[in-house]
Amino acid sequence: MNTHLLIQLLVNGLVVGTLYGVVAMSFVLIYKATQVVNFAQGELLLIGAWVCWALLAKYQVPFYVGMPLTLVFMFAFGIAIQIVVLRPMIGEPIISVIMVTIALSTVFQATLKWIFGVNPQPFPQIFTSQSVSIGGLQIQTVYVMSLVVSIAMMIGMAWFFKVSKYGLAMRATAFDQQVAQSLGISVKSVFAMAWAISATVSAVAGVVVAVVNGVSSGLSAYGIKVFPAAILGGLDSIGGAVLGGIIIGLLENIAQYIDSEYLHWGNLYEIAPFYVLIIILMIKPYGLFGTKDIERI
Amino acid sequence: MTEAAELDRPQPGASPAPAPLLSVKNIEVVYDDVILVLRGLSLDVPQGAIVALLGANGAGKSTTLKAISGLLKTEDGEVTRGEIVFDGERIDGVDPDKIVRRGIFQVMEGRRIVSDMTSLENLRLGAFTRSDRNVAADIDMVYNYFPRLKERTGLAGYLSGGEQQMLAIGRALMARPKMILMDEPSMGLSPLLVKEVFSIIKQINRDLGVTILLVEQNARAALSVASHGYIMEQGKVVLDGTADELRDNEDVKEFYLGGAGDQRKSFKNLKSFKRRKRWL
Ligand SMILES: Nc1ncnc2c1ncn2[C@@H]1O[C@H](COP(=O)(O)OP(=O)(O)OP(=O)(O)O)[C@@H](O)[C@H]1O
Ligand SMILES: [Mg+2]
């Protein structure tokens, strides 16, 4: 048994998994607040990554300025998508709205290729040291950063929903839009805010991935991973999405280990999460943490 | 302050009675563009009063409250004629969240608390439109009125019906509204609890000066706290008067205060009652 490889892959799984968790969390945020399944989530990562890359590599802006600028841009961009594209769709059948997000994803992909070209770009160096040693284990600095940033985003999200009044308003809107309005909450603003926060959080994840792997259109593949992660956790549970993401990340890497050590099939890590997903959904159809409605009203 | 609002105000000494806080003037309400539910309904609620709005099932009581709070919009309903004036300004057609900010808060039929949140979170939601620093103090105030809410720290969905009603009223108080529209607070409560809830409604009105428009099936309980009442049928007010007048009115006694149980008799009488009454 190759312990070193196993540990390496588990660490890898944890890091990638928390990142999946962050993206799944921002996907569930939109779903929960607005009932829209966003097929353009991965492209939000990609847009964030390209914008940050452009600021840093093209305009030579330092990272501590470029990153906040990227976030401000993405916040505004999220509001703009909601107002321009999705608000007119309110009241339309949900399938139409889903088609619109699929169209959005294609339009974003094409536009980004048009603006930034089709070649992957390396991200400017942000850290001076390549790796740090934690408990005798050599871990790349970018991995540590990824983990720290992901966890910070999760804590931020938990605070938002548990403590801030806008988070409570968003939960109330998800629960019952009429009740929310009777409390003085503007449902339109909540929808716009959901997109804004989701786009911003996704952009952070996008930049983290870009720092590790460079920027390329393949980065939006993270948007596909949110489906097993979010469905596993239960589509409407933010905490479930986080856990779902971590599980998918770990599963991929465990599958990779089993594959490379024993089976040698070659692509087990890509499909294993989906098999597990199917099994879990057979046992728990609403996902691990999906809503079990309280019966008494 | 706009000029128009200034002009609407009664001049000092010019009119003997102050303008009511809320004035519903001859409104017509239509759902889904075709279902006519309110047909020329008018009522006034003076500042600081408790006014009861009574009537049989389907008379349009809840619709009247939703027309005032703007929630009609969320059910594809519309005020197609007449006007609603609150605090000197027209509010018909205004979005419900903006009406809350103007000081009207509706406690909807069936409590409608957010069942997957705690009581405390529900109370904090009530204060959503506020940005002052007294929210924490007001949570204590609500706990003073309803001590048992403080003990229940779990999800609000697991509260008893009575506790949920208390939470719904407490949540309304958290908005510090000028006026609360209450839709059937006695629904599903035991007689003892009805008494308790209504005595607290009275206290709230007295202590905080909140004006209350109270929709009820339980006419006896409602008239015990209200100063004035309206009785509506099929989308119109058919009778109004002070609470004492209504309590002593033979028809009201028969149909709304009389012994429960004899459905057929009251239905027949309801018809003749309607024919005899003047239309407002
Ligand atoms: N959203 C809606 N769409 C269409 N019709 C509605 C709607 N809401 C109410 N109505 C109709 O309007 C009429 C009055 O309803 P409303 O709920 O105002 O009555 P109510 O006096 O509150 O009755 P109850 O005492 O049973 O609560 C009923 O005939 C009802 O079917
Ligand atoms: Mg009703």
Side-chain angles (χ1 to χ4, degrees), chain B residues 225-237:
Chain B
V225 294
S227 60
H228 203 93
Y230 289 84
I231 293 180
M232 66 181 294
E233 260 167 32
Q234 299 189 9
K236 276 183 179 166
V237 169

Side-chain angles (χ1 to χ4, degrees), chain B residues 57-58 60-63 66 109 183-184 187 215 217:
Chain B
N57 289 114
K61 306 180 297 295
S62 300
T63 300
K66 284 180 207 150
E109 195 173 321
D183 202 343
E184 300 201 31
M187 188 196 266
V215 159
Q217 294 282 351

Side-chain angles (χ1 to χ4, degrees), chain A residues 122-133:
Chain A
F123 212 77
Q125 192 80 31
I126 294 172
F127 300 102
T128 40
S129 68
Q130 279 294 318
S131 65
V132 288
S133 165

Side-chain angles (χ1 to χ4, degrees), chain B residues 30-32 35-38 55-66 72 74-77 109 183-184 187 215-217 232 235:
Chain B
V30 176
Y31 282 112
D32 304 316
I35 308 167
L36 177 66
V37 173
L38 298 190
N57 289 114
K61 306 180 297 295
S62 300
T63 300
T64 306
L65 294 194
K66 284 180 207 150
L72 212 52
T74 64
E75 297 184 3
D76 212 0
E109 195 173 321
D183 202 343
E184 300 201 31
M187 188 196 266
V215 159
E216 258 305 332
Q217 294 282 351
M232 66 181 294

Side-chain angles (χ1 to χ4, degrees), chain A residues 69-239:
Chain A
L69 278 181
T70 305
L71 298 187
V72 170
F73 172 81
M74 290 304 289
F75 195 87
F77 188 70
I79 293 177
I81 299 177
Q82 204 280 325
I83 292 180
V84 176
V85 184
L86 290 144
R87 191 165 293 179
M89 299 294 295
I90 290 178
E92 299 295 328
I94 206 74
I95 186 75
S96 316
V97 183
I98 291 173
M99 297 309 280
V100 165
T101 69
I102 293 175
L104 267 183
S105 116
T106 313
V107 169
F108 289 158
Q109 280 283 1
T111 313
L112 289 169
K113 284 196 177 120
W114 178 55
I115 298 176
F116 296 103
V118 290
N119 299 320
Q121 298 286 348
F123 212 77
Q125 192 80 31
I126 294 172
F127 300 102
T128 40
S129 68
Q130 279 294 318
S131 65
V132 288
S133 165
I134 296 173
L137 212 64
Q138 280 299 114
I139 301 175
Q140 287 187 48
T141 318
V142 284
Y143 273 27
V144 178
M145 170 217 56
S146 171
L147 200 59
V148 169
V149 170
S150 299
I151 291 170
M153 307 289 291
M154 288 166 184
I155 293 172
M157 198 70 104
W159 175 87
F160 176 74
F161 279 110
K162 274 282 162 200
V163 183
S164 85
K165 76 172 187 178
Y166 295 102
L168 286 181
M170 202 171 274
R171 282 164 64 195
T173 306
F175 175 78
D176 184 330
Q177 294 182 11
Q178 190 182 37
V179 169
Q181 291 178 77
S182 82
L183 300 171
I185 296 161
S186 157
V187 169
K188 282 183 191 163
S189 317
V190 166
F191 285 5
M193 188 164 60
W195 276 86
I197 295 173
S198 182
T200 310
V201 171
S202 293
V204 175
V207 171
V208 168
V209 179
V211 169
V212 179
N213 297 333
V215 199
S216 75
S217 63
L219 203 153
S220 59
Y222 273 73
I224 303 300
K225 289 287 162 54
V226 305
F227 290 102
I231 293 169
L232 186 62
L235 259 181
D236 57 357
S237 162
I238 303 266

Side-chain angles (χ1 to χ4, degrees), chain A residues 32 161-190 193 291-297, chain B residues 66 71 74-75 95-98 100-101 105-106 108 110 112-118 121-122 124-131 155 157-161 164 171:
Chain A
K32 209 171 147 71
F161 279 110
K162 274 282 162 200
V163 183
S164 85
K165 76 172 187 178
Y166 295 102
L168 286 181
M170 202 171 274
R171 282 164 64 195
T173 306
F175 175 78
D176 184 330
Q177 294 182 11
Q178 190 182 37
V179 169
Q181 291 178 77
S182 82
L183 300 171
I185 296 161
S186 157
V187 169
K188 282 183 191 163
S189 317
V190 166
M193 188 164 60
T291 308
K292 306 180 270 311
D293 276 323
I294 296 175
E295 286 303 333
R296 167 187 274 153
I297 296 290
Chain B
K66 284 180 207 150
L71 287 173
T74 64
E75 297 184 3
D95 283 338
D97 54 290
K98 301 215 174 67
V100 173
R101 286 171 197 277
F105 197 102
Q106 178 171 358
M108 280 187 284
R112 305 290 288 273
I113 54 151
V114 183
S115 58
D116 60 5
M117 290 189 191
T118 64
E121 286 172 329
N122 269 280
R124 289 190 51 217
L125 266 176
F128 177 77
T129 52
R130 290 170 57 183
S131 48
L155 289 185
Y158 296 122
L159 294 176
S160 76
Q164 292 193 2
R171 188 171 69 177

Side-chain angles (χ1 to χ4, degrees), chain B residues 35-52:
Chain B
I35 308 167
L36 177 66
V37 173
L38 298 190
R39 319 145 185 256
L41 176 129
S42 300
L43 59 83
D44 284 344
V45 183
Q47 169 79 48
I50 300 182
V51 171

